[in-house]
Amino acid sequence: MKYLLMLFENEKAWDALPQEEAQKVLEEYMAFSESIEKSGNNIAGEALQPTSTATTVRVRDGKRLTTDGPFAETREQMGGFFLVEAKDLDEAIALASRIPAAKSGCVEIRPVMDYSDVMG
């Protein structure tokens, strides 16, 4: 089953990290990425630009409305994701707990909807 692992961290805390600590965290991400590639769990993953680059789109009464910034102002912002293949939620939780963001922020896990049974 596919799971989306969404990484949430405080961007200001990340920006305040000393260069050496930021480099160490990036190395931890590289090690995690390599490990899930080797194990066959990795489908995709990307880091996101800061929320200051976000644009939110809504369509109301047929009119497109855009707002600069993220959907919601929060203490922690979505900074990236991994799309993984895991046999069940327990394996997805085990994978998520190894992501560096889990130590300083959080990782939200969502199963990906599978329409193959419905669509044939």
Side-chain angles (χ1 to χ4, degrees):
M1 181 170 207
K2 293 178 187 171
Y3 291 91
L4 185 64
L5 311 179
M6 296 175 281
L7 319 181
F8 291 89
E9 292 191 88
N10 184 321
E11 287 179 349
K12 291 178 182 173
W14 172 257
D15 291 342
L17 275 182
Q19 179 80 20
E20 294 139 6
E21 287 185 46
Q23 183 62 36
K24 183 181 173 190
V25 173
L26 290 175
E27 289 170 4
E28 290 175 6
Y29 272 104
M30 294 301 293
F32 174 76
S33 295
E34 289 174 16
S35 73
I36 64 171
E37 185 69 37
K38 287 180 183 172
S39 68
N41 293 106
N42 188 49
I43 297 173
E46 295 290 345
L48 300 178
Q49 293 286 332
T51 55
S52 60
T53 65
T55 302
T56 302
V57 177
R58 295 176 175 83
V59 177
R60 300 292 185 266
D61 299 323
K63 294 181 181 174
R64 183 182 68 201
L65 308 169
T66 60
T67 307
D68 291 340
F71 166 69
E73 296 288 335
T74 61
R75 194 171 64 87
E76 295 175 328
Q77 297 79 33
M78 185 172 172
F81 68 91
F82 288 96
L83 180 63
V84 300
E85 181 70 35
K87 66 182 176 195
D88 55 26
L89 181 59
D90 289 338
E91 184 177 26
I93 291 170
L95 291 169
S97 68
R98 294 173 33 216
I99 297 173
K103 292 187 281 186
S104 55
C106 66
V107 178
E108 180 178 332
I109 301 170
R110 295 258 194 110
V112 173
M113 190 74 73
D114 181 3
Y115 289 107
S116 61
D117 291 339
V118 178
M119 303 301 280

